[in-house]
Amino acid sequence: GFLSYDVNRCQFNSTELKDIEYIYSAYYNKLEIYRFSSSVGKFVGYTEYGVKQAKYFNDLPGEVGQWTAEKERYCQHNIGNHYSNI
């Protein structure tokens, strides 16, 4: 069988939103196909198919803005959880 999955993650060194990077990655059979990174500000492809997907998503009106907003919605919400567990 084939395995397809997505991963959302936040990388941060402080509680300040400006210091946080939100990353969304799409995988197929353990290979990263494409990624959105808030620090890059767009989708980037890592395979031939992923490059096409990244271009498609980057060209959609509002798509990059929606994923950029995920940094605040997804990461900022979890900052307190992370720091309270340390």
Side-chain angles (χ1 to χ4, degrees):
F2 298 99
L3 181 63
S4 175
Y5 58 97
D6 303 326
V7 176
N8 294 285
R9 67 184 187 267
C10 304
Q11 295 181 343
F12 49 90
N13 293 321
S14 79
T15 59
E16 296 296 319
L17 190 60
K18 65 179 177 54
D19 296 330
I20 298 172
E21 179 182 20
Y22 169 75
I23 300 170
Y24 165 82
S25 299
Y27 291 86
Y28 184 74
N29 282 350
K30 299 181 183 179
L31 179 66
E32 188 173 22
I33 305 299
Y34 62 88
R35 168 190 294 188
F36 174 82
S37 168
S38 64
S39 64
V40 175
K42 66 178 184 175
F43 286 88
V44 177
Y46 295 103
T47 65
E48 183 179 343
Y49 174 73
V51 169
K52 291 177 184 177
Q53 287 297 106
K55 180 177 177 355
Y56 172 76
F57 289 128
N58 289 330
D59 290 345
L60 281 176
E63 190 72 16
V64 170
Q66 175 187 341
W67 286 100
T68 302
E70 285 295 294
K71 174 179 168 178
E72 185 173 351
R73 186 195 69 80
Y74 184 80
C75 297
Q76 190 170 26
H77 171 72
N78 290 306
I79 291 172
N81 295 336
H82 177 76
Y83 278 99
S84 68
N85 290 328
I86 293 180

